[in-house]
Amino acid sequence: MTALLNRRVTFVWAALVGITMVSWWLGVRYGLDDEQIAAVGLMVLGYVKVRLIGLHFMELRDSPGWLRVLFEAWCGVACGGVLLLFLLS
Amino acid sequence: MATVFEGPLAKTAVPSDEATQRKTRTPGEGGTWIFILGEMLVFLALFAFFLFNRIKDPNLFRTSQPLVDKTLGLVYTLVLLVSSLLVVGGIQAIRRRNTALAPWLLVGAAVCGIVFIALKCVEWAHHLNQDQTISTNEFWTWYYVLTGTHALHVLIGLGFLAFMIVEARKPKLNGEQFALVEGGACYWHMVDLIWIILFPLIYLMV
């Protein structure tokens, strides 16, 4: 298995796991009392994660411009929109 | 450099070696992406509906949301990340015509998917036993709608993985067959990607 995965994919996966652990920590508010600060952190981390999955696992980093633009737009709207609507609540 | 393609598409084989020059290419085929992007738009709308309802009654969401298990949400995320890694490995194994390993990596990914569904059923059973049903209040309605819709997509993804496992056992795939396999892989990664948003939305952002 390790021979099939290059360093980039391995690093990306490790980063995804690490970011997930940080997100969980933010969510249980270990040391953070402000839900809005936690929400900003969670959505920024979420944005990083969805892009990592799209670019490196879905292999969109080599995709045609139209597909890359649509994917990036979805990431921005999803994470930014979720954060904005959460902050309005 | 090994290639999985035969026939007229052999010249457009995808390099399996990272060191070779990267070419612009669509993973899977264009039609698959119209489907995947459409699904992603559906979830975008569901995220918005969840949050619009939160805006209408934030205190309801603040009191209901702590009842979902954050640690279980973490487990779901890690299970799906492992499954995605196995799918990446499986695709690479198919590219290198490793018919011994490729199917098993995809089986591993499918096992992760089954674990996810099993845990989801346990979670729902727990909430139903606590009288937290789809009609209890707006939070629980959207909790079941969002997690149920996602679980449905996991089940569809398991179907794609089954197809990919069968294809992975073949010694050679033509361009069309490999495009379908890649499309299935992208669908599975989409399921993981959607959960990346759902996890904080439902479990962490109180």
Side-chain angles (χ1 to χ4, degrees), chain A residues 1 3-6 8-9 13 16-17 20-21 23-24 27-29 35 39 42-43 46 49-50 53 57-64 67 70-71 74 77-79 82 85-86 88-89, chain B residues 18 22-27 33 37 40 44 51-52 54-55 62 70-71 74 77 81 84-85 88-89 92-93 95-96 101 105 182 186 189-190 192-194 196-197 200-201 204-206:
Chain A
M1 172 74 170
L4 293 169
L5 301 173
N6 57 43
R8 177 177 54 82
V9 168
W13 186 80
L16 285 167
V17 171
T20 297
M21 301 306 296
S23 298
W24 176 79
V28 296
R29 275 181 273 167
E35 64 179 29
L42 285 168
M43 276 300 112
K49 287 171 71 178
V50 294
I53 289 174
F57 285 8
M58 291 173 152
E59 300 182 13
L60 290 177
R61 64 191 193 121
D62 298 324
S63 64
L67 184 51
L70 285 175
F71 174 74
W74 187 91
V77 170
C79 297
V82 164
L85 290 175
F86 179 85
L88 288 174
S89 67
Chain B
E18 189 73 17
R22 283 162 45 190
K23 298 174 186 171
T24 297
R25 57 178 293 272
T26 303
W33 276 101
L37 290 169
M40 289 166 71
L44 203 57
L51 288 163
F52 284 140
R54 185 189 161 97
I55 289 171
R62 283 197 187 98
K70 292 177 170 55
T71 302
L74 172 67
T77 310
L81 285 177
S84 277
L85 185 68
V88 172
Q92 286 303 324
R95 284 192 174 119
R96 297 177 191 182
L101 187 58
L105 291 173
E182 260 196 326
C186 287
H189 292 311
M190 179 209 67
D192 188 6
L193 184 151
I194 294 297
I196 296 297
I197 307 289
L201 184 64
L204 300 180
M205 290 164 66
V206 180

Coordinates of all heavy atoms in Angstrom, one line a residue, chain A residues 1 3-6 8-9 13 16-17 20-21 23-24 27-29 35 39 42-43 46 49-50 53 57-64 67 70-71 74 77-79 82 85-86 88-89, chain B residues 18 22-27 33 37 40 44 51-52 54-55 62 70-71 74 77 81 84-85 88-89 92-93 95-96 101 105 182 186 189-190 192-194 196-197 200-201 204-206:
Chain A
M1 N 0.8 -1.2 0.0 CA 0.0 0.0 0.0 C 0.9 1.2 0.0 O 0.6 2.2 -0.7 CB -0.9 0.0 1.2 CG -1.7 1.3 1.4 SD -3.1 1.5 0.2 CE -3.9 2.9 1.0
A3 N 3.7 1.7 -1.2 CA 4.4 1.9 -2.5 C 3.4 2.6 -3.5 O 3.9 3.2 -4.4 CB 4.8 0.6 -3.0
L4 N 2.1 2.5 -3.2 CA 1.1 3.0 -4.2 C 0.9 4.5 -3.9 O 0.5 5.2 -4.7 CB -0.2 2.3 -4.0 CG -0.2 0.8 -4.5 CD1 -1.5 0.2 -4.1 CD2 0.0 0.8 -6.0
L5 N 1.1 4.9 -2.7 CA 0.8 6.3 -2.3 C 2.1 7.1 -2.3 O 3.0 6.8 -1.5 CB 0.2 6.3 -0.9 CG -1.1 5.5 -0.8 CD1 -1.5 5.5 0.7 CD2 -2.2 6.1 -1.6
N6 N 2.1 8.2 -3.1 CA 3.3 9.0 -3.1 C 3.3 9.9 -1.8 O 2.3 10.0 -1.1 CB 3.4 9.9 -4.4 CG 2.1 10.7 -4.6 OD1 1.6 11.3 -3.6 ND2 1.7 10.8 -5.8
R8 N 3.1 13.0 -1.5 CA 2.1 14.1 -1.5 C 0.8 13.6 -0.9 O 0.2 14.2 0.0 CB 1.9 14.7 -2.9 CG 0.8 15.7 -3.0 CD 0.8 16.2 -4.5 NE 0.6 15.2 -5.4 CZ -0.6 14.6 -5.7 NH1 -1.7 15.0 -5.1 NH2 -0.7 13.7 -6.6
V9 N 0.3 12.5 -1.4 CA -1.0 11.9 -1.0 C -0.9 11.6 0.5 O -1.9 11.9 1.3 CB -1.4 10.7 -1.8 CG1 -2.6 10.0 -1.2 CG2 -1.8 11.1 -3.2
W13 N -3.2 13.3 3.4 CA -4.1 12.5 4.3 C -3.8 12.8 5.8 O -4.7 12.9 6.6 CB -3.9 11.0 4.0 CG -4.9 10.2 4.7 CD1 -6.2 10.0 4.4 CD2 -4.6 9.5 5.9 NE1 -6.8 9.1 5.4 CE2 -5.9 8.8 6.3 CE3 -3.5 9.3 6.7 CZ2 -6.0 8.0 7.5 CZ3 -3.6 8.5 7.9 CH2 -4.8 7.9 8.2
L16 N -5.2 16.0 6.7 CA -6.6 15.9 6.9 C -7.0 15.4 8.2 O -7.9 15.8 8.9 CB -7.3 15.0 5.8 CG -7.4 15.7 4.4 CD1 -7.7 14.6 3.3 CD2 -8.4 16.8 4.4
V17 N -6.3 14.3 8.7 CA -6.5 13.7 10.0 C -6.2 14.7 11.1 O -7.0 14.9 12.0 CB -5.7 12.4 10.2 CG1 -5.8 11.9 11.6 CG2 -6.2 11.3 9.2
T20 N -8.7 17.4 11.3 CA -10.0 16.9 11.8 C -9.9 16.9 13.3 O -10.8 17.3 14.0 CB -10.2 15.5 11.3 OG1 -10.4 15.5 9.9 CG2 -11.5 14.9 12.0
M21 N -8.7 16.5 13.9 CA -8.6 16.5 15.3 C -8.6 17.9 15.9 O -9.3 18.1 17.0 CB -7.2 15.8 15.7 CG -7.1 14.4 15.2 SD -8.4 13.3 15.7 CE -8.2 13.3 17.5
S23 N -10.2 20.4 14.6 CA -11.6 20.8 14.4 C -12.5 20.2 15.6 O -13.3 20.9 16.2 CB -12.2 20.3 13.1 OG -11.6 20.8 12.0
W24 N -12.3 19.0 15.9 CA -13.0 18.4 17.0 C -12.7 19.1 18.3 O -13.6 19.4 19.1 CB -12.6 16.9 17.1 CG -13.2 16.2 18.3 CD1 -14.5 15.7 18.4 CD2 -12.6 15.8 19.5 NE1 -14.7 15.1 19.6 CE2 -13.5 15.1 20.3 CE3 -11.3 16.0 20.0 CZ2 -13.2 14.7 21.6 CZ3 -11.0 15.5 21.2 CH2 -12.0 14.9 22.0
G27 N -14.5 22.2 18.4 CA -15.9 22.0 18.6 C -16.3 21.8 20.0 O -17.3 22.2 20.5
V28 N -15.4 21.0 20.7 CA -15.8 20.8 22.1 C -15.4 22.0 23.0 O -15.5 22.0 24.2 CB -15.1 19.5 22.7 CG1 -15.7 18.3 21.9 CG2 -13.6 19.5 22.6
R29 N -14.8 23.0 22.3 CA -14.4 24.3 22.9 C -13.5 24.1 24.1 O -13.7 24.6 25.2 CB -15.7 25.0 23.3 CG -16.1 25.8 22.2 CD -17.3 26.6 22.5 NE -18.5 25.8 22.3 CZ -19.7 26.0 22.7 NH1 -20.0 27.1 23.4 NH2 -20.7 25.2 22.5
E35 N -18.6 30.9 20.7 CA -19.0 30.0 19.7 C -18.7 30.6 18.3 O -18.5 29.8 17.3 CB -20.5 29.7 19.8 CG -21.4 30.9 19.6 CD -22.9 30.5 19.7 OE1 -23.2 29.6 20.4 OE2 -23.7 31.2 19.1
A39 N -16.7 28.9 15.4 CA -17.3 28.6 14.0 C -16.4 29.1 12.9 O -16.3 28.5 11.9 CB -18.6 29.4 14.0
L42 N -13.7 26.6 12.6 CA -14.2 25.3 12.0 C -14.4 25.4 10.5 O -14.1 24.5 9.7 CB -15.5 24.9 12.7 CG -15.3 24.4 14.1 CD1 -16.6 24.3 14.8 CD2 -14.6 23.0 14.1
M43 N -14.9 26.6 10.1 CA -15.2 26.7 8.6 C -13.9 27.0 7.8 O -13.8 26.5 6.7 CB -16.2 27.8 8.4 CG -17.7 27.2 8.5 SD -18.0 25.9 7.4 CE -18.1 24.5 8.5
G46 N -12.5 23.7 7.6 CA -13.3 22.9 6.7 C -13.0 23.2 5.2 O -12.9 22.4 4.3
K49 N -9.9 21.6 4.2 CA -10.0 20.1 4.0 C -10.7 19.8 2.7 O -10.3 18.9 2.0 CB -10.8 19.6 5.2 CG -10.0 19.5 6.5 CD -10.8 19.1 7.7 CE -11.2 17.7 7.7 NZ -12.0 17.3 8.9
V50 N -11.8 20.5 2.4 CA -12.6 20.1 1.2 C -11.7 20.4 0.0 O -11.7 19.6 -1.0 CB -13.9 20.9 1.1 CG1 -14.9 20.4 2.1 CG2 -13.8 22.4 1.0
I53 N -9.2 17.5 -0.4 CA -9.8 16.3 -0.9 C -10.0 16.5 -2.4 O -9.8 15.6 -3.2 CB -11.1 16.0 -0.2 CG1 -10.8 15.5 1.2 CG2 -11.9 15.0 -1.0 CD1 -12.0 15.3 2.1
F57 N -7.3 14.2 -3.9 CA -7.9 12.9 -3.9 C -8.7 12.7 -5.2 O -8.7 11.7 -5.9 CB -8.8 12.6 -2.7 CG -8.0 12.3 -1.4 CD1 -6.6 12.4 -1.4 CD2 -8.6 11.9 -0.3 CE1 -5.9 12.1 -0.3 CE2 -7.9 11.6 0.9 CZ -6.6 11.7 0.9
M58 N -9.5 13.8 -5.5 CA -10.3 13.8 -6.8 C -9.4 14.1 -8.0 O -9.9 14.1 -9.1 CB -11.5 14.8 -6.7 CG -12.5 14.4 -5.7 SD -13.7 15.8 -5.5 CE -15.2 14.9 -5.1
E59 N -8.2 14.5 -7.7 CA -7.2 14.9 -8.8 C -7.7 16.0 -9.6 O -7.5 16.1 -10.8 CB -6.9 13.6 -9.6 CG -6.3 12.5 -8.8 CD -6.0 11.3 -9.7 OE1 -5.9 11.4 -10.9 OE2 -5.7 10.2 -9.1
L60 N -8.3 17.0 -9.0 CA -8.8 18.2 -9.7 C -7.7 19.2 -10.0 O -7.9 20.2 -10.7 CB -10.0 18.8 -9.0 CG -11.3 18.0 -9.0 CD1 -12.3 18.7 -8.1 CD2 -11.8 17.8 -10.4
R61 N -6.5 19.0 -9.4 CA -5.5 20.0 -9.6 C -5.0 20.0 -11.0 O -4.4 21.0 -11.4 CB -4.4 19.8 -8.6 CG -3.6 18.5 -8.7 CD -2.7 18.3 -7.6 NE -1.8 17.2 -7.9 CZ -0.5 17.3 -7.9 NH1 0.1 18.4 -7.5 NH2 0.3 16.2 -8.2
D62 N -5.2 18.9 -11.7 CA -4.9 18.8 -13.1 C -6.1 18.9 -14.1 O -6.0 18.6 -15.2 CB -4.1 17.5 -13.4 CG -2.8 17.4 -12.6 OD1 -2.2 18.5 -12.4 OD2 -2.5 16.3 -12.2
S63 N -7.2 19.3 -13.5 CA -8.4 19.3 -14.3 C -8.5 20.5 -15.2 O -7.8 21.5 -14.9 CB -9.6 19.2 -13.4 OG -9.7 20.3 -12.6
P64 N -9.4 20.5 -16.2 CA -9.6 21.7 -17.0 C -10.1 22.9 -16.2 O -10.7 22.7 -15.1 CB -10.7 21.2 -18.0 CG -10.6 19.7 -18.0 CD -10.2 19.3 -16.6
L67 N -13.8 23.0 -14.7 CA -14.1 22.1 -13.6 C -13.5 22.6 -12.3 O -14.1 22.6 -11.3 CB -13.6 20.7 -13.9 CG -13.9 19.6 -12.9 CD1 -15.4 19.6 -12.6 CD2 -13.5 18.3 -13.5
L70 N -15.5 25.6 -11.0 CA -16.7 25.2 -10.4 C -16.5 24.6 -9.0 O -17.2 24.9 -8.1 CB -17.5 24.2 -11.3 CG -18.1 24.8 -12.6 CD1 -18.7 23.7 -13.4 CD2 -19.2 25.8 -12.2
F71 N -15.5 23.8 -8.9 CA -15.2 23.2 -7.6 C -14.8 24.2 -6.6 O -15.3 24.2 -5.5 CB -14.1 22.1 -7.8 CG -13.6 21.5 -6.5 CD1 -14.4 20.7 -5.8 CD2 -12.4 21.9 -5.9 CE1 -14.1 20.2 -4.5 CE2 -12.0 21.4 -4.7 CZ -12.9 20.6 -4.0
W74 N -17.7 26.2 -5.5 CA -18.5 25.4 -4.5 C -17.9 25.5 -3.1 O -18.6 25.7 -2.1 CB -18.7 24.0 -4.9 CG -19.6 23.2 -4.1 CD1 -21.0 23.1 -4.3 CD2 -19.3 22.5 -2.9 NE1 -21.5 22.3 -3.2 CE2 -20.5 22.0 -2.3 CE3 -18.2 22.3 -2.1 CZ2 -20.6 21.2 -1.2 CZ3 -18.2 21.6 -1.0 CH2 -19.4 21.0 -0.5
V77 N -18.4 29.0 -1.7 CA -19.8 29.3 -1.3 C -20.2 28.5 -0.1 O -20.9 28.9 0.8 CB -20.7 29.1 -2.5 CG1 -22.1 29.1 -2.1 CG2 -20.4 30.1 -3.6
A78 N -19.9 27.2 -0.2 CA -20.3 26.3 0.9 C -19.7 26.7 2.3 O -20.5 26.9 3.2 CB -19.9 24.8 0.6
C79 N -18.4 26.9 2.3 CA -17.8 27.2 3.6 C -18.1 28.7 4.0 O -18.5 28.9 5.2 CB -16.3 27.0 3.6 SG -15.9 25.2 3.3
V82 N -22.0 28.9 4.8 CA -22.3 28.3 6.1 C -21.9 29.2 7.2 O -22.6 29.4 8.2 CB -21.6 26.9 6.2 CG1 -21.6 26.4 7.7 CG2 -22.4 25.9 5.3
L85 N -24.1 32.4 7.4 CA -25.5 32.1 7.9 C -25.4 31.8 9.4 O -26.3 32.1 10.2 CB -26.2 31.0 7.1 CG -26.5 31.4 5.7 CD1 -27.1 30.2 5.0 CD2 -27.6 32.5 5.7
F86 N -24.4 31.1 9.8 CA -24.2 30.7 11.2 C -24.0 32.0 12.1 O -24.7 32.1 13.1 CB -23.0 29.8 11.5 CG -22.8 29.4 12.9 CD1 -23.6 28.3 13.4 CD2 -22.0 30.1 13.7 CE1 -23.4 28.0 14.8 CE2 -21.8 29.7 15.0 CZ -22.5 28.7 15.6
L88 N -25.1 34.8 11.5 CA -26.3 35.6 11.5 C -27.3 35.0 12.5 O -28.3 35.7 12.8 CB -26.9 35.6 10.1 CG -26.2 36.5 9.0 CD1 -26.9 36.3 7.7 CD2 -26.2 38.0 9.4
S89 N -27.1 33.8 12.9 CA -28.1 33.2 13.8 C -27.9 33.5 15.2 O -26.9 34.0 15.6 CB -28.1 31.6 13.6 OG -26.8 31.1 14.1
Chain B
E18 N 4.4 10.2 -10.5 CA 4.3 11.6 -10.2 C 5.3 12.4 -10.9 O 5.2 13.6 -11.1 CB 4.4 11.7 -8.7 CG 4.1 13.1 -8.1 CD 2.6 13.4 -8.2 OE1 1.7 12.5 -8.4 OE2 2.2 14.6 -8.1
R22 N 2.7 16.5 -15.6 CA 1.3 16.5 -15.4 C 0.6 17.1 -16.6 O 1.0 18.1 -17.2 CB 1.0 17.3 -14.2 CG 1.3 16.5 -12.9 CD 1.4 17.4 -11.7 NE 0.3 18.3 -11.6 CZ 0.3 19.3 -10.7 NH1 1.3 19.5 -9.9 NH2 -0.7 20.2 -10.7
K23 N -0.5 16.4 -17.0 CA -1.3 16.9 -18.2 C -2.6 17.3 -17.6 O -3.1 16.7 -16.7 CB -1.4 15.8 -19.2 CG -0.1 15.3 -19.8 CD -0.3 14.1 -20.7 CE 1.0 13.6 -21.2 NZ 0.9 12.3 -21.9
T24 N -3.2 18.3 -18.3 CA -4.6 18.6 -18.0 C -5.5 17.5 -18.4 O -5.5 17.1 -19.5 CB -5.0 19.9 -18.7 OG1 -4.1 21.0 -18.2 CG2 -6.4 20.3 -18.4
R25 N -6.3 17.0 -17.4 CA -7.2 15.9 -17.8 C -8.4 16.0 -16.8 O -8.3 16.5 -15.7 CB -6.5 14.6 -17.7 CG -5.9 14.3 -16.3 CD -5.3 12.9 -16.3 NE -6.3 11.9 -16.4 CZ -6.9 11.3 -15.3 NH1 -6.6 11.8 -14.1 NH2 -7.8 10.4 -15.5
T26 N -9.5 15.5 -17.2 CA -10.7 15.4 -16.4 C -10.7 14.0 -15.8 O -10.8 13.0 -16.5 CB -12.0 15.6 -17.2 OG1 -11.9 16.8 -17.9 CG2 -13.2 15.5 -16.3
P27 N -10.7 13.9 -14.4 CA -10.8 12.6 -13.8 C -12.2 12.0 -14.0 O -13.2 12.7 -13.7 CB -10.5 12.9 -12.3 CG -10.8 14.4 -12.1 CD -10.5 15.0 -13.4
W33 N -19.1 14.4 -13.9 CA -19.0 15.6 -13.1 C -20.2 16.4 -13.1 O -20.5 17.1 -12.1 CB -17.8 16.4 -13.6 CG -16.6 15.8 -13.0 CD1 -15.6 15.0 -13.5 CD2 -16.2 16.0 -11.6 NE1 -14.7 14.6 -12.6 CE2 -15.0 15.3 -11.4 CE3 -16.7 16.7 -10.5 CZ2 -14.3 15.2 -10.2 CZ3 -16.0 16.7 -9.3 CH2 -14.8 15.9 -9.2
L37 N -21.4 17.4 -9.4 CA -21.6 18.8 -9.1 C -23.1 19.1 -8.8 O -23.4 19.9 -7.9 CB -21.1 19.7 -10.2 CG -19.6 19.7 -10.5 CD1 -19.3 20.4 -11.8 CD2 -18.9 20.4 -9.3
M40 N -23.6 18.0 -5.3 CA -23.0 19.0 -4.4 C -23.9 20.2 -4.2 O -23.9 20.8 -3.1 CB -21.6 19.4 -4.9 CG -20.6 18.2 -4.7 SD -19.0 18.4 -5.6 CE -18.2 19.8 -4.8
L44 N -25.6 21.8 -0.9 CA -25.5 23.3 -0.6 C -26.8 23.8 -0.2 O -26.9 24.6 0.8 CB -25.0 24.0 -1.9 CG -24.2 25.3 -1.7 CD1 -23.0 25.2 -0.8 CD2 -23.8 25.8 -3.1
L51 N -29.5 26.1 8.1 CA -29.1 27.3 8.8 C -30.2 28.4 8.8 O -30.3 29.2 9.7 CB -27.8 27.9 8.1 CG -26.6 27.0 8.5 CD1 -25.4 27.3 7.5 CD2 -26.1 27.3 9.9
F52 N -31.0 28.4 7.7 CA -32.1 29.4 7.8 C -33.0 29.0 8.9 O -33.6 29.9 9.6 CB -32.9 29.3 6.4 CG -32.2 30.0 5.3 CD1 -32.2 29.5 4.0 CD2 -31.6 31.2 5.5 CE1 -31.6 30.1 3.0 CE2 -30.9 31.9 4.5 CZ -31.0 31.4 3.2
R54 N -32.1 27.6 11.7 CA -31.3 28.0 12.9 C -31.5 29.5 13.1 O -31.7 29.9 14.3 CB -29.8 27.6 12.7 CG -29.1 27.9 14.0 CD -27.6 27.8 13.8 NE -26.9 28.5 14.9 CZ -26.4 27.9 16.0 NH1 -26.5 26.6 16.1 NH2 -25.9 28.6 17.0
I55 N -31.5 30.3 12.1 CA -31.7 31.7 12.2 C -33.0 32.0 12.8 O -33.2 32.9 13.6 CB -31.5 32.4 10.9 CG1 -30.0 32.4 10.5 CG2 -31.9 33.9 10.9 CD1 -29.7 32.9 9.1
R62 N -29.5 25.7 19.8 CA -28.5 25.7 20.8 C -28.8 24.7 21.9 O -27.9 24.1 22.5 CB -28.3 27.1 21.5 CG -27.6 28.1 20.6 CD -27.1 29.3 21.4 NE -26.6 30.3 20.5 CZ -27.3 31.3 20.0 NH1 -28.5 31.6 20.4 NH2 -26.7 32.2 19.1
K70 N -20.4 14.5 19.7 CA -19.3 15.1 19.0 C -18.2 14.0 18.7 O -17.6 14.0 17.6 CB -18.7 16.2 19.7 CG -19.6 17.4 19.8 CD -18.9 18.5 20.7 CE -19.7 19.9 20.6 NZ -21.1 19.8 21.0
T71 N -18.0 13.2 19.6 CA -16.9 12.2 19.4 C -17.3 11.2 18.4 O -16.5 10.7 17.6 CB -16.6 11.5 20.8 OG1 -16.3 12.5 21.7 CG2 -15.5 10.5 20.6
L74 N -16.6 12.7 15.1 CA -15.2 12.6 14.8 C -14.9 11.2 14.3 O -14.1 11.1 13.3 CB -14.3 12.8 16.1 CG -12.9 12.5 16.0 CD1 -12.2 13.5 15.1 CD2 -12.2 12.5 17.4
T77 N -15.9 10.9 10.7 CA -15.0 11.6 9.8 C -13.7 10.8 9.6 O -13.2 10.7 8.4 CB -14.6 13.0 10.4 OG1 -15.8 13.7 10.8 CG2 -13.8 13.8 9.5
L81 N -12.3 9.3 6.1 CA -10.9 9.7 5.6 C -10.1 8.4 5.2 O -9.4 8.4 4.3 CB -10.2 10.5 6.6 CG -10.7 12.0 6.7 CD1 -9.9 12.7 7.8 CD2 -10.5 12.7 5.4
S84 N -11.3 7.0 2.0 CA -10.9 7.8 0.8 C -9.4 7.5 0.5 O -9.1 7.4 -0.7 CB -11.0 9.3 1.1 OG -12.3 9.8 0.8
L85 N -8.6 7.3 1.5 CA -7.2 6.9 1.3 C -7.1 5.6 0.6 O -6.3 5.4 -0.3 CB -6.4 6.9 2.6 CG -4.9 6.6 2.5 CD1 -4.2 7.8 1.8 CD2 -4.3 6.3 3.9
V88 N -8.0 6.0 -3.0 CA -6.8 6.6 -3.8 C -5.8 5.5 -4.1 O -5.3 5.4 -5.2 CB -6.2 7.7 -3.0 CG1 -4.8 8.2 -3.6 CG2 -7.1 8.9 -2.8
G89 N -5.5 4.7 -3.1 CA -4.6 3.5 -3.3 C -5.1 2.6 -4.3 O -4.4 2.0 -5.1
Q92 N -4.7 3.9 -7.8 CA -3.2 3.8 -8.2 C -2.9 2.4 -8.5 O -2.2 2.1 -9.5 CB -2.3 4.3 -7.1 CG -2.3 5.8 -6.9 CD -1.9 6.5 -8.2 OE1 -1.1 6.0 -9.0 NE2 -2.5 7.6 -8.5
A93 N -3.4 1.4 -7.7 CA -3.2 0.0 -8.0 C -3.7 -0.4 -9.4 O -3.1 -1.2 -10.1 CB -3.7 -0.9 -6.9
R95 N -4.2 1.6 -11.9 CA -3.3 2.2 -12.9 C -2.1 1.3 -13.2 O -1.6 1.2 -14.3 CB -2.9 3.6 -12.5 CG -3.9 4.6 -12.6 CD -3.4 6.0 -12.5 NE -4.4 7.0 -12.7 CZ -4.8 7.9 -11.9 NH1 -4.3 8.0 -10.7 NH2 -5.7 8.8 -12.2
R96 N -1.6 0.7 -12.1 CA -0.3 -0.1 -12.2 C -0.7 -1.6 -12.5 O 0.2 -2.4 -12.4 CB 0.5 0.0 -11.0 CG 1.0 1.5 -10.8 CD 1.7 1.7 -9.5 NE 1.9 3.1 -9.3 CZ 2.6 3.6 -8.2 NH1 3.1 2.8 -7.4 NH2 2.7 4.9 -8.1
L101 N -3.9 -6.5 -5.6 CA -4.1 -5.5 -4.5 C -5.3 -4.6 -4.7 O -6.0 -4.3 -3.7 CB -2.8 -4.7 -4.3 CG -2.7 -3.8 -3.1 CD1 -2.9 -4.6 -1.8 CD2 -1.4 -3.0 -3.1
L105 N -8.1 -3.2 -1.7 CA -8.1 -1.8 -1.2 C -9.5 -1.2 -1.3 O -10.0 -0.6 -0.4 CB -7.1 -1.0 -2.0 CG -5.6 -1.3 -1.8 CD1 -4.7 -0.5 -2.7 CD2 -5.2 -1.0 -0.3
E182 N -12.8 5.7 -12.3 CA -12.4 7.0 -11.8 C -13.5 7.8 -11.3 O -13.5 8.5 -10.3 CB -11.6 7.8 -12.8 CG -10.1 7.7 -12.6 CD -9.3 8.8 -13.4 OE1 -9.8 9.2 -14.5 OE2 -8.3 9.3 -12.9
C186 N -14.3 9.4 -7.7 CA -14.7 10.8 -7.4 C -16.0 10.9 -6.6 O -16.1 11.8 -5.8 CB -14.7 11.6 -8.7 SG -13.1 11.9 -9.4
H189 N -15.2 10.2 -3.1 CA -14.6 11.3 -2.4 C -15.5 12.5 -2.2 O -15.4 13.2 -1.2 CB -13.4 11.8 -3.3 CG -12.3 10.9 -3.4 ND1 -11.7 10.3 -2.3 CD2 -11.6 10.4 -4.5 CE1 -10.7 9.4 -2.7 NE2 -10.7 9.5 -4.0
M190 N -16.6 12.6 -3.0 CA -17.6 13.6 -2.8 C -18.3 13.4 -1.5 O -18.7 14.3 -0.8 CB -18.6 13.7 -4.0 CG -19.6 14.7 -3.8 SD -21.2 14.3 -4.6 CE -21.7 12.9 -3.7
D192 N -17.3 11.9 1.1 CA -16.4 12.3 2.1 C -16.3 13.8 2.3 O -16.4 14.3 3.4 CB -15.0 11.7 1.8 CG -14.0 11.9 3.0 OD1 -14.4 12.3 4.1 OD2 -12.8 11.6 2.8
L193 N -16.3 14.5 1.2 CA -16.2 15.9 1.1 C -17.4 16.6 1.8 O -17.3 17.6 2.5 CB -16.0 16.4 -0.3 CG -15.7 17.8 -0.7 CD1 -14.9 17.8 -2.0 CD2 -17.1 18.5 -1.0
I194 N -18.6 16.0 1.4 CA -19.8 16.6 2.0 C -19.8 16.4 3.5 O -20.2 17.3 4.3 CB -21.0 15.9 1.4 CG1 -21.2 16.2 -0.1 CG2 -22.3 16.2 2.1 CD1 -21.4 17.6 -0.4
I196 N -17.3 16.4 5.4 CA -16.4 17.4 6.0 C -17.1 18.7 6.4 O -16.8 19.3 7.4 CB -15.3 17.8 5.0 CG1 -14.4 16.6 4.6 CG2 -14.4 18.9 5.4 CD1 -13.6 16.0 5.8
I197 N -18.2 19.1 5.7 CA -19.0 20.2 6.0 C -20.0 19.8 7.0 O -20.3 20.6 8.0 CB -19.7 20.8 4.8 CG1 -18.7 21.1 3.7 CG2 -20.5 22.1 5.1 CD1 -17.7 22.3 3.9
P200 N -18.8 19.6 11.1 CA -18.9 20.8 12.0 C -20.3 21.4 12.0 O -20.8 21.9 13.1 CB -17.9 21.8 11.3 CG -17.8 21.3 9.9 CD -18.0 19.8 10.0
L201 N -21.1 21.3 10.9 CA -22.4 22.0 10.9 C -23.3 21.4 11.9 O -24.0 22.1 12.6 CB -23.0 21.8 9.5 CG -24.3 22.5 9.2 CD1 -24.2 24.0 9.3 CD2 -24.8 22.1 7.8
L204 N -20.5 20.2 15.7 CA -19.5 21.0 16.4 C -20.0 22.5 16.6 O -19.6 23.1 17.6 CB -18.2 21.0 15.6 CG -17.5 19.6 15.5 CD1 -16.2 19.8 14.8 CD2 -17.3 19.0 16.9
M205 N -20.7 23.0 15.6 CA -21.0 24.4 15.6 C -22.3 24.6 16.4 O -23.4 24.6 15.8 CB -21.2 25.0 14.2 CG -19.8 25.1 13.5 SD -19.9 25.3 11.7 CE -20.6 26.9 11.6
V206 N -22.2 24.8 17.7 CA -23.4 24.9 18.6 C -23.7 26.4 18.7 O -22.9 27.2 19.0 CB -23.2 24.3 19.9 CG1 -24.4 24.4 20.8 CG2 -22.8 22.8 19.7

